[in-house]
């Protein structure tokens, strides 16, 4: 096998051409085509996704262009600028408001504490004679009505009595009526002032000749217990004084940073009907600046522009020539792919890459390849040659796919959430159809029993099991009503009851007249008949038949009641006998539906929040509350639905709001999208992995030849060394870094072999002591440590020497030494030295006041005794515990011995020579060792002996066994 990694050859022309084509040209072409496709698809996808965003922005723009919304923003900014506005009098407030915002107030009124006094007034001179004198009494009543003063505690005790007379409901109603009547007359309004705190309302004034706007700002004093009204400013602004240009400029500034707002004009006059047929006023266009949506101005602002805030169309001719339209734009920079701005840079890199690659392959064709590089240079060259373009391709593909995939997931999540909301709508429709069916069944029962005259019990039973609050039977001569005892019955207001009766009479007379009209041959008689009777036209009768029994309101009003209306027909004659009406409360219908819906609502990564709304005020029905941005709520109320996304980290959340028309129900939902395998580019999904796989195979062959083969040889040789084969060496012929590695490896193996051989002659402590290269560590010296010394000797060895061969005895001695070394190591000790047939084992303390070494030494002694006994070899042992000097003994430049010395060592050696008459274990132990065991061993006292170096007789014991603690 050729192991030489030096590349020195001259490849053939076809090989060089194919390599150049495969590694240089194809990746560049592939990258260019991929990027072009990515950029095109990303822009189209972004435009498609942005349409919904532009529609929402256009709706918000229209809302911001409403003059009340404009005034709300201006007043909010004006009062937020400084807290000192609370101390302004009426004239100062008018002057400062005009200076800061350009709004010219017609009337400003300042009131004092608890709305008890008028502090100052400002009236524009141009309208002072038209308004006349403003009564303080009725002005205060108006301000009390607007700020709900009777509901606030008085700030000054002296005002408390004045406010108490308005506490009752009747007094408050009279307060409202008096204030409305007076100011309708003073301002010539078509309706009462529809004003509430910090919200602009609009009305029409005949005296001031057009629209007028009202805004009231209260100032509160808030304590821990109460909130009282300290003062307030009431503004009235004429529509004529409001600049439409300022309204537009303010609305444009309120837009998002990534969406442009502007006003444009229709490019044709409106007096040409054919032009309007050919050209659309509203629609999407793709321009150089980005995606645009053009649509009409809000009606409120158009009326203001045409009439200049008055009654008459003063600018109609100008508007017909140049119809103003609103234009919202998604900037092109937000539509293009993120990498497109680097397209020129990528192109320059591709040119450079092709040039360098072509020069390299041309050199290889003419002069061959002769590379003597180091490992680092070879790795860098291989990566540059084989991975740079594929990596760039993979990166751009991944970014593009991920981007398009995110958009696909967004669209799918929106569609999924929309389907779920529509499914709730379908269920609600089925729920109402069930109510309709129950109305049919009840009407049939009433029709069948009506002639018998006993229907009270029938109706009572059915009403108790119904959601209806009341049932009405309207006959030509009488009306009978039945209340549902289980409902929270609320009587009808007079106006609604009158309308209900009138509607029932219309139903009865419509059917009656239709029957009589069939029998009339003369047209004139038929006309007379229609004039005599209370009738409605045939459209009413047709709609009644089409909506028979369905839930509907009697008028386009804010009433919370809906009715199921079914004519009662005589089964035998087919004539109309009357009309049955079931009255339902919208709120109770929705509550009943939600109770029925909730148990069967499958989440599927979706959370729902149900709201019951009264106009724009939302009351949460269930415990889950999802955040609904105010602008999104406005869009939902205008369009009955709104969708938007929010991304937190890697998790995409889709929010949807659906308004159920003609009901108080609003559903908010959050869909936590589960990533799917949706890819916008199917073909590239397979081409890129195939290309990268081919690149990988090519790279793998090069890397294996140049790098992996020598590494494998090193790994194989290392495995052999691990198996104690110290003659193994890697077969590497390279003359670069791998050759140096081979040399270093061989030297390492030689050192390991020598160390392995040395370990057979000395303890591991000695090997560790000389293992470093620091000369300071080889200097003589030691330290005092506590240790237990164990001397173990073979018994009767001299006698056995005479009776047995030396080979057998040496074998037994070898087994004894091997067992002693192994058992010492297992018990945290070392075999220090072998003295003839005696082993010296040392068990050192690992840290101060650590006496576990004594237990370890005793355990090792017993285990060594038992191990040798199993082989038929008798031993004798002795242990001694105490302080020793542990370290290197000898001269620096002479012989050194890593061992322990001291009285403890001498004591153990002398105890080993003591003879016991009848031994059980033949393990002698001294008092110091017994104390260190702390009761962990069972001893047998032998005798007291005179021991060299000891002034008194020394007690000796025999270690019988250890009492090991159970874990």
């Amino acid at each position: 096998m050729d192991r030489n990694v030096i590349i020195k050859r001259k490849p053939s022309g076809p090989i060089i051409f194919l390599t150049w084509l495969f590694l240089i040209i194809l990746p560049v072409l592939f990258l260019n085509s991929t990027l072009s496709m990515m950029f095109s698809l990303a822009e189209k996808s972004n435009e498609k996704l942005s349409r919904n965003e532009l529609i929402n922005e256009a709706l918000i723009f229209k809302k911001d262009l409403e003059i009340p919304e404009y005034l709300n923003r201006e007043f909010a900014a004006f009062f937020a600028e400084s807290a000192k506005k609370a101390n302004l009098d009426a004239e100062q407030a008018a002057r400062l408001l005009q200076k800061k915002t350009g709004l010219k107030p017609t009337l400003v009124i300042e009131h004092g504490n608890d709305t008890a006094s008028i502090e100052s007034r400002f009236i524009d001179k141009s309208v002072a004679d038209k308004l006349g004198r403003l009564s303080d009494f009725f002005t205060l009543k108006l301000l009390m009505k607007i700020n709900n003063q009777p509901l606030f505690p008085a700030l000054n005790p002296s005002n408390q009595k004045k406010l108490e007379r308005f506490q009752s409901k009747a007094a408050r109603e009279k307060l409202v009526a008096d204030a409305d009547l007076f100011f309708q007359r003073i301002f010539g309004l078509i309706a009462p002032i529809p004003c509430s705190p910090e919200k602009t309302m609009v009305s029409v004034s005949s005296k001031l000749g057009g629209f007028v706007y009202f805004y009231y700002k209260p100032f509160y004093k808030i304590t821990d217990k109460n909130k009282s009204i300290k003062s307030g400013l009431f503004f009235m602004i004429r529509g004529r004084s409001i600049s439409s240009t300022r309204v537009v400029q303010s609305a444009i500034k309120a837009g998002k940073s990534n969406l442009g707002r502007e006003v444009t004009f229709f490019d044709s006059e409106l007096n040409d009907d054919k032009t309007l047929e050919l050209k659309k006023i509203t629609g999407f266009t793709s321009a150089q600046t980005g995606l645009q949506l053009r649509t009409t101005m809000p009606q409120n602002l158009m009326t203001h522009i045409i009439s200049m805030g008055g009654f008459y169309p003063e600018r109609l001719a100008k508007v017909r020539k140049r119809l103003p339209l609103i234009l919202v734009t998604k900037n092109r920079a937000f539509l293009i792919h993120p990498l497109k701005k680097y397209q020129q840079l990528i192109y320059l890199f591709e040119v450079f890459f092709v040039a360098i690659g072509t020069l390299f392959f041309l050199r290889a064709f003419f002069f061959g390849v002769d590379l003597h590089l180091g490992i680092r240079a070879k790795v860098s060259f291989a990566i540059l040659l084989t991975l740079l373009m594929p990596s760039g391709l993979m990166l751009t593909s991944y970014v593009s796919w991920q981007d398009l995939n995110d958009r696909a997931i967004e669209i799918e999540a929106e569609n999924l959430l929309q389907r779920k909301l529509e499914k709730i709508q379908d269920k609600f429709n089925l729920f109402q159809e069930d109510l309709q069916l129950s109305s049919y069944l009840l009407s049939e029962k009433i029709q069948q029993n009506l002639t018998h005259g006993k229907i009270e019990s029938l109706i009572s039973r059915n009403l108790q099991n119904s959601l209806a609050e009341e049932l009405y039977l309207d006959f030509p001569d009488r009306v009978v009503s039945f209340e549902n005892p289980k409902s929270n019955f609320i009587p009808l207001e007079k106006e609604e009851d009158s309308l209900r009766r009138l509607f029932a009479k219309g139903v009865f007379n419509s059917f009656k007249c239709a029957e009589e009209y069939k029998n009339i041959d003369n047209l004139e008689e038929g006309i007379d008949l229609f004039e005599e009777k209370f009738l409605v036209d045939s459209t009413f009768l047709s709609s009644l038949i089409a909506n028979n029994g369905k839930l509907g309101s009697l008028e386009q009003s804010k009433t919370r009641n809906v009715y199921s209306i079914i004519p009662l027909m005589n089964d035998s004659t087919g004539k109309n006998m009357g009309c049955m009406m079931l009255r339902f409360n919208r709120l109770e219908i929705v509550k009943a539906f939600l109770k029925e819906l909730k148990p069967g609502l499958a989440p599927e990564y979706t959370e729902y929040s149900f709201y019951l709304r009264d106009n724009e005020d939302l009351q949460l029905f269930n415990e889950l509350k999802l955040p609904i941005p105010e602008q999104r709520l406005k869009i939902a109320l205008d369009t009955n639905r709104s969708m938007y996304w929010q991304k937190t980290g890697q998790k995409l959340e889709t929010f949807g709001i659906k308004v159920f028309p003609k009901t108080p129900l609003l559903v908010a939902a959050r869909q936590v999208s589960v990533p799917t395998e949706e890819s916008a580019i199917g073909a590239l999904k397979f081409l890129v992995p195939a290309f990268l796989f081919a690149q990988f195979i090519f790279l793998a062959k090069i890397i294996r030849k140049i790098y992996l083969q020598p590494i494998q040889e090193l790994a194989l040789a290392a495995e052999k060394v691990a198996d104690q084969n110290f003659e193994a060496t890697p077969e590497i012929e390279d003359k670069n870094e791998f050759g140096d590695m081979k040399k270093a490896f061989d030297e390492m193996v030689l050192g390991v072999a020598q160390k392995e051989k040395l370990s057979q002659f000395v303890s591991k402590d000695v090997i560790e002591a000389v293992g470093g290269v620091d000369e300071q560590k080889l200097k003589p010296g030691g330290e005092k440590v506590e240790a237990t010394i164990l001397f173990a000797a073979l018994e009767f060895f001299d006698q056995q020497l005479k009776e047995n061969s030396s080979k057998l005895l040496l074998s037994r001695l070898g087994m004894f030494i091997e067992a002693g070394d192994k058992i010492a190591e297992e018990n945290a000790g070392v075999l220090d030295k072998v003295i003839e047939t005696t082993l010296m084992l040392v068990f050192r303390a690992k840290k101060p006041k650590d006496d576990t070494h004594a237990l370890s030494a005793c355990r090792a002694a017993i285990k060594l005794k038992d191990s040798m006994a199993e082989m038929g070899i008798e031993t004798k042992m002795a242990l001694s515990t105490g302080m020793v000097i542990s370290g290197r003994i000898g001269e620096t430049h002479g012989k050194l011995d890593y061992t322990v010395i001291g009285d403890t060592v001498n004591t153990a050696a002398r105890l080993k020579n003591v003879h016991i008459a009848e031994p059980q274990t033949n393990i002698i132990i001294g008092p110091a060792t017994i104390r260190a065991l702390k009761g962990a061993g069972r001893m047998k006292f032998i005798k007291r002996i005179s021991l060299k170096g000891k002034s008194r007789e020394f007690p000796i014991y025999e270690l019988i066994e250890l009492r090991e603690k159970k874990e």
Side-chain angles (χ1 to χ4, degrees):
M1 182 183 293
D2 183 14
R3 299 178 183 276
N4 190 0
V5 295
I6 297 176
I7 304 172
K8 188 175 183 179
R9 61 183 66 178
K10 186 176 180 182
S12 64
I15 293 296
I16 287 183
F17 175 76
L18 289 175
T19 308
W20 172 77
L21 184 67
F22 188 73
L23 291 180
I24 304 296
I25 301 303
L26 284 181
V28 170
L29 294 177
F30 196 22
L31 180 60
N32 270 333
S33 61
T34 302
L35 288 177
S36 299
M37 189 185 304
M38 297 296 179
F39 295 155
S40 175
L41 287 174
E43 197 162 337
K44 289 179 181 179
S45 173
N46 284 336
E47 284 190 1
K48 184 177 180 181
L49 289 168
S50 298
R51 287 179 176 243
N52 186 46
E53 187 179 8
L54 287 176
I55 291 172
N56 290 343
E57 181 67 12
L59 291 171
I60 297 172
F61 191 13
K62 280 189 174 185
K63 201 75 175 178
D64 290 338
L65 284 168
E66 297 282 353
I67 294 179
E69 289 291 328
Y70 160 70
L71 293 177
N72 282 340
R73 291 195 302 273
E74 294 298 315
F75 276 113
F78 173 70
F79 285 110
E81 186 179 341
S82 174
K84 296 180 180 179
K85 302 289 190 304
N87 301 322
L88 295 175
D89 62 26
E91 188 171 349
Q92 290 173 333
R95 187 171 61 252
L96 191 59
L97 180 68
Q98 186 172 1
K99 179 181 177 181
K100 296 290 185 182
T101 66
L103 295 172
K104 184 181 179 181
T106 303
L107 172 69
V108 183
I109 300 173
E110 179 203 9
H111 70 78
N113 293 338
D114 307 316
T115 329
S117 61
I118 301 296
E119 298 296 323
S120 61
R121 280 196 186 88
F122 166 80
I123 302 177
D124 187 44
K125 295 178 181 179
S126 62
V127 298
D129 56 337
K130 295 180 181 179
L131 296 180
R133 181 179 176 277
L134 292 177
S135 165
D136 284 0
F137 178 74
F138 285 108
T139 301
L140 289 172
K141 281 193 171 186
L142 171 69
L143 297 175
M144 284 185 178
K145 165 204 165 185
I146 294 172
N147 63 20
N148 293 316
Q149 177 65 69
L151 303 180
F152 287 88
L155 182 63
N156 295 341
S158 58
N159 296 329
Q160 188 63 42
K161 289 185 179 181
K162 295 180 182 179
L163 299 178
E164 286 178 356
R165 51 182 177 164
F166 299 111
Q167 296 295 328
S168 66
K169 181 180 178 182
R172 287 201 301 273
E173 289 177 353
K174 188 175 186 305
L175 168 69
V176 172
D178 290 347
D180 287 343
L181 184 62
F182 175 75
F183 275 88
Q184 276 188 262
R185 181 172 56 82
I186 288 294
F187 293 124
L189 301 179
I190 62 172
I193 296 178
C195 198
S196 58
E198 300 183 70
K199 190 173 183 180
T200 302
M201 302 299 286
V202 61
S203 187
V204 178
S205 169
S206 58
K207 283 191 176 183
L208 299 180
F211 292 97
V212 287
Y213 299 89
F214 300 95
Y215 187 89
Y216 171 68
K217 172 65 178 180
F219 299 96
Y220 302 102
K221 182 176 181 180
I222 302 174
T223 63
D224 294 339
K225 296 182 179 180
N226 294 320
K227 178 181 178 182
S228 304
I229 297 177
K230 183 169 60 174
S231 63
L233 288 168
F234 174 78
F235 297 84
M236 182 180 76
I237 298 176
R238 294 181 70 187
R240 287 184 173 274
S241 67
I242 298 175
S243 166
S244 56
T245 302
R246 284 181 176 270
V247 175
V248 171
Q249 290 173 346
S250 173
I252 289 174
K253 289 180 181 178
K256 294 181 179 179
S257 59
N258 65 326
L259 297 174
R261 292 180 174 185
E262 59 182 298
V263 172
T264 184
F265 297 94
F266 192 55
D267 49 7
S268 300
E269 292 189 24
L270 296 182
N271 54 5
D272 185 0
D273 293 339
K274 293 183 180 179
T275 303
L276 289 178
E277 290 177 3
L278 296 174
K279 297 183 180 180
K280 294 182 179 180
I281 293 179
T282 64
F284 291 97
T285 55
S286 182
Q288 188 69 27
T289 55
L291 182 66
Q292 297 179 334
L293 171 61
R294 188 175 67 172
T295 186
T296 56
M297 286 271 191
Q299 184 178 355
N300 175 282
L301 184 60
M302 284 301 300
T303 303
H304 180 81
I305 292 172
I306 293 172
S307 65
M308 296 181 63
F311 287 133
Y312 304 104
E314 298 183 19
R315 296 181 179 174
L316 183 58
K318 291 183 178 180
V319 172
R320 285 172 63 88
K321 288 183 179 180
R322 297 191 73 197
L323 175 67
L325 301 170
I326 65 173
L327 188 71
V328 289
T329 305
K330 183 72 175 285
N331 195 291
R332 181 67 60 187
F334 295 99
L335 295 174
I336 63 175
H337 194 279
L339 288 176
K340 191 171 185 180
K341 56 185 177 181
Y342 304 109
Q343 189 172 10
Q344 290 297 326
L345 187 63
I346 295 172
Y347 175 73
L348 290 175
F349 170 76
E350 289 174 342
V351 171
F352 174 77
F353 181 79
V354 170
I356 296 297
T358 303
L359 288 175
F360 173 78
F361 282 104
L362 285 174
R363 183 183 181 281
F365 176 73
F366 289 108
F367 305 105
V369 181
D370 186 7
L371 294 178
H372 296 272
L373 301 174
I375 291 179
R376 183 177 300 175
K378 288 177 181 176
V379 170
S380 301
F381 176 75
I383 291 175
L384 179 66
L385 182 65
T386 58
L387 285 183
L388 197 56
M389 287 304 295
S391 298
L393 175 62
M394 184 170 63
L395 177 62
T396 54
S397 301
Y398 174 77
V399 172
S400 303
W401 290 345
Q402 190 66 33
D403 192 44
L404 295 177
N405 192 47
D406 287 346
R407 284 158 176 73
I409 291 174
E410 288 175 2
I411 294 173
E412 180 60 29
E414 179 182 348
N415 293 337
L416 178 62
L417 192 58
Q418 186 174 344
R419 288 195 297 270
K420 289 182 177 181
L421 290 174
E422 288 174 353
K423 192 173 181 180
I424 295 177
Q425 173 80 68
D426 294 340
K427 289 183 178 181
F428 185 62
N429 293 338
L430 290 174
F431 183 80
Q432 294 185 98
E433 288 178 9
D434 288 341
L435 293 180
Q436 177 184 343
L437 178 60
S438 64
S439 301
Y440 280 140
L441 296 176
L442 181 58
S443 67
E444 289 177 358
K445 293 177 182 178
I446 291 175
Q447 285 178 170
Q448 293 171 2
N449 294 275
L450 194 59
T451 54
H452 303 296
K454 295 181 179 180
I455 57 174
E456 287 82 359
S457 60
L458 171 67
I459 292 175
S460 297
R461 286 196 309 272
N462 282 272
L463 271 182
Q464 289 182 7
N465 299 322
S466 170
L467 289 176
E469 293 192 335
E470 193 170 10
L471 181 143
Y472 305 93
L473 293 178
D474 289 87
F475 301 109
D477 55 343
R478 70 188 188 283
V479 178
V480 183
S481 64
F482 301 86
E483 298 176 11
N484 187 346
K486 290 189 176 181
S487 69
N488 298 322
F489 180 76
I490 302 175
L492 283 182
E493 298 288 342
K494 291 182 179 180
E495 293 80 0
E496 188 175 353
D497 188 53
S498 299
L499 183 64
R500 190 205 64 76
R501 292 171 181 269
L502 185 63
F503 202 89
K505 187 175 181 182
V507 171
F508 180 78
N509 284 290
S510 295
F511 278 94
K512 182 178 179 182
C513 183
E515 294 163 6
E516 295 179 3
Y517 190 73
K518 291 179 183 178
N519 300 322
I520 295 176
D521 297 327
N522 191 302
L523 181 60
E524 293 181 358
E525 292 180 9
I527 293 173
D528 294 339
L529 175 65
F530 271 78
E531 290 176 350
E532 290 175 4
K533 303 292 182 180
F534 172 80
L535 298 175
V536 290
D537 60 22
S538 59
T539 305
F540 171 79
L541 185 59
S542 299
S543 64
L544 178 66
I545 295 172
N547 293 284
N548 190 19
K550 293 183 180 179
L551 299 177
S553 58
L554 301 181
E555 59 171 343
Q556 298 299 322
S557 64
K558 295 181 181 179
T559 176
R560 294 185 176 181
N561 296 315
V562 289
Y563 296 84
S564 176
I565 307 170
I566 302 177
L568 299 175
M569 313 299 292
N570 190 304
D571 292 338
S572 57
T573 62
K575 292 185 177 182
N576 177 246
M577 296 185 293
C579 175
M580 182 195 80
M581 282 192 185
L582 284 171
R583 175 166 68 92
F584 298 88
N585 185 292
R586 295 179 196 264
L587 193 62
E588 296 302 322
I589 289 177
V590 171
K591 286 182 179 179
F593 166 68
L594 293 180
K595 288 179 181 178
E596 183 179 297
L597 171 71
K598 196 172 180 182
L601 195 63
E604 296 176 356
Y605 305 100
T606 308
E607 296 175 337
Y608 298 93
S609 186
F610 300 97
Y611 295 87
L612 303 178
R613 63 188 175 95
D614 183 5
N615 293 330
E616 293 185 7
D617 297 328
L618 297 182
Q619 177 186 357
L620 186 66
F621 181 76
N622 64 332
E623 64 278 2
L624 179 62
K625 184 177 182 181
L626 298 178
I628 303 179
E630 184 178 353
Q631 293 285 15
R632 296 292 174 182
L633 177 60
K634 290 178 181 178
I635 294 171
L637 294 174
D638 287 341
T639 63
N640 292 334
R641 64 179 287 271
S642 175
M643 290 280 178
Y644 61 101
W645 303 287
Q646 176 178 304
K647 196 165 186 179
T648 53
Q650 296 299 318
K651 185 173 68 173
L652 173 72
E653 295 179 332
T654 307
F655 290 83
I657 307 169
K658 185 170 182 60
V659 179
F660 285 60
K662 299 181 181 180
T663 73
L665 178 60
L666 182 145
V667 180
R670 173 170 57 195
Q671 173 80 25
V672 180
S673 303
V674 180
T676 58
E677 294 297 329
E678 295 288 339
S679 179
I681 311 173
L684 293 178
K685 183 189 293 185
F686 302 102
L687 288 177
V688 171
F691 183 78
L692 293 179
F693 179 73
Q695 290 279 0
F696 173 77
I697 296 298
F698 183 81
L699 177 63
K701 287 186 176 293
I702 293 179
I703 295 296
R704 184 180 182 280
K705 179 67 177 175
I706 299 177
Y707 313 118
L708 295 183
Q709 224 167 267
I711 293 173
Q712 287 174 351
E713 290 292 341
L714 286 169
L716 181 61
E719 290 178 3
K720 292 179 180 179
V721 172
D723 293 335
Q724 305 298 313
N725 181 2
F726 299 114
E727 295 181 0
T729 180
E731 298 179 8
I732 299 176
E733 299 179 5
D734 207 336
K735 297 179 182 179
N736 59 10
E737 290 92 336
F738 284 117
D740 296 337
M741 290 175 65
K742 176 185 183 318
K743 183 178 179 182
F745 184 85
D746 290 341
E747 291 175 354
M748 178 199 70
V749 172
L750 180 60
V752 170
Q754 291 174 349
K755 185 177 179 180
E756 185 68 20
K757 292 176 181 178
L758 183 62
S759 66
Q760 298 176 7
F761 295 92
V762 298
S763 67
K764 67 175 184 178
D765 284 352
V766 174
I767 295 175
E768 291 176 0
V770 300
V773 295
D774 189 358
E775 289 294 330
Q776 292 295 325
K777 294 184 178 179
L778 295 177
K779 288 185 177 182
E783 58 179 341
K784 283 188 176 183
V785 298
E786 188 174 342
T788 298
I789 310 301
L790 168 63
F791 277 88
L794 293 176
E795 280 278 75
F796 312 117
F797 188 80
D798 293 339
Q799 182 180 347
Q800 293 175 6
L801 185 59
K802 297 176 183 179
E803 299 174 357
N804 299 286
S805 66
S806 59
K807 186 176 180 180
L808 176 63
L809 293 178
L810 287 175
S811 174
R812 289 182 179 180
L813 181 59
M815 289 188 291
F816 180 49
I817 294 171
E818 182 182 358
D821 186 30
K822 182 179 178 182
I823 292 172
E825 187 175 353
E826 290 174 352
N827 291 276
V830 294
L831 173 59
D832 187 271
K833 57 177 61 69
V834 180
I835 308 168
E836 294 182 353
T837 60
T838 301
L839 307 181
M840 176 180 166
L841 309 181
V842 179
F843 298 85
R844 294 176 177 84
K846 304 300 181 184
K847 56 185 179 180
K849 298 182 180 180
D850 177 21
D851 52 11
T852 57
H853 53 87
L855 181 61
S856 298
C858 293
R859 189 182 295 120
I862 293 175
K863 191 169 183 181
L864 182 58
K865 175 75 177 178
D866 295 341
S867 176
M868 299 313 294
E870 290 176 0
M871 302 179 191
I873 301 173
E874 297 184 28
T875 57
K876 182 179 183 180
M877 302 183 193
L879 295 100
S880 179
T881 301
M883 300 302 294
V884 298
I885 295 176
S886 174
R888 301 171 187 87
I889 310 300
E891 292 295 332
T892 303
H893 299 291
K895 298 258 184 198
L896 286 172
D897 188 12
Y898 189 84
T899 184
V900 292
I901 59 174
D903 183 63
T904 302
V905 180
N906 297 333
T907 301
R910 290 170 185 141
L911 289 177
K912 186 257 301 182
N913 295 323
V914 175
H915 176 70
I916 303 176
E918 296 179 358
Q920 288 182 249
T921 61
N922 214 7
I923 301 174
I924 299 173
I925 186 170
T929 307
I930 295 174
R931 286 194 297 272
L933 287 176
K934 296 179 180 178
R938 185 164 70 87
M939 315 299 169
K940 174 184 177 184
F941 176 73
I942 305 298
K943 61 182 175 180
R944 289 180 178 273
I945 63 172
S946 295
L947 201 64
K948 186 178 179 180
K950 303 294 180 182
S951 58
R952 303 185 205 176
E953 287 190 337
F954 192 81
I956 61 172
Y957 300 83
E958 185 181 16
L959 175 62
I960 305 301
E961 63 179 357
L962 290 176
R963 301 188 184 97
E964 299 280 1
K965 293 182 180 178
K966 293 184 179 180
E967 295 182 357

